[in-house]
Amino acid sequence: MASDPPKAVPLTCHGHSRPITHLSFSSVVDDDQYYLISACKDNNPMLRDGVTGDWSLSAHSLKRKIWDTHTGECLHHLQHDHIVRAVAFPPQNRPQLVATGGAEKKLRIFDLTRSSQGATSPAASPNGGDHSGATPAYEIGPNVHGGTIKSILWGTDVNVVITAADDKVLRWWDLRSRTPAATYELEGTPGTCEIDSISSTPSLTVAAGKSAYFFSGTQPGQLLKQITTPAPIAAVALHAGQRKFVTGGSEDTWVRVFDYDKEIELDVQKGHHGPVWTVSFAPDGKLYATGSEDGTVKLWKFCSESYGLWR
């Protein structure tokens, strides 16, 4: 009987000195090129070639800043009073907005288009707007979040922002009314919260406790499926085209691949030496990246043909 083909060895990307907290791929740019950015507790965000993992740019800062990825120039400085855990940009070029959230339990929207010399975030006025700083910024839903905001997502609708907080609640915020259009209470503290960007019908994936949640990417609050996993997970990413999803363990060092429809485990990938806090698919879906407590980023091949450095 013929044996199964050997697994492709993952590419290990070094450079960070502390745990990796988040990974995100860019969209495809010229000549099928795309990029991978990693956030880490060493305060050094790193930009890499998304296919090879080769280092492109790093920036050292304890501040909240907006960077030009081509020149490395700091474009805006967003002043906050506590740790910022999440940022998100809308799917539009104008106006240039950015949403931030973190340990202050505040969801803020900054208008970078009207900033000339960097952004600040002064105390919010009673009606929700910030008026004393150089950049217009306002808070959405004052005193609503009951814990640190862990994730912020701007989906296909520019008027809706999604937050996941330590109070175990997902919220879909209508920016026009500045109130939640929908909420959903999770069974555990949320880990990753991501929009599937490689599907024509995007979905929202959330990791919490021993569950992977899959929500509609267009209908606020609409749960498509909740799948129980054999062990607690910190991260989940969906490949809708292959009907598979990948998880990262919060209490072990393993990366698991599941069948979305049959809800069964297909494979276990080993190589990290600490919990896997973040998982993300490349925009073409042919590889995925994982980031771990061990301070490394790994790229895993997710296609049968030769690809990138896998020949």
Side-chain angles (χ1 to χ4, degrees), residues 112-153:
L112 305 181
T113 306
R114 299 170 62 184
S115 171
S116 59
Q117 296 180 344
T120 61
S121 174
S125 65
N127 63 5
D130 291 337
H131 301 290
S132 59
T135 296
Y138 56 92
E139 183 181 355
I140 301 294
N143 303 315
V144 172
H145 292 98
T148 296
I149 298 174
K150 301 280 288 294
S151 297
I152 300 175
L153 294 171

Side-chain angles (χ1 to χ4, degrees), residues 20 22 51 62 108 163 183 218 239 246 271 293 303-304:
I20 310 298
H22 191 258
V51 177
L62 295 175
R108 287 190 176 94
T163 60
T183 62
T218 57
H239 192 306
V246 179
E293 181 77 17
C303 59
S304 58

Side-chain angles (χ1 to χ4, degrees), residues 107 109 138 140 154 158-161 173-178:
L107 172 62
I109 308 295
Y138 56 92
I140 301 294
W154 227 309
V158 297
N159 295 308
V160 177
V161 170
W173 294 95
D174 187 320
L175 298 184
R176 294 158 297 192
S177 65
R178 303 189 185 183

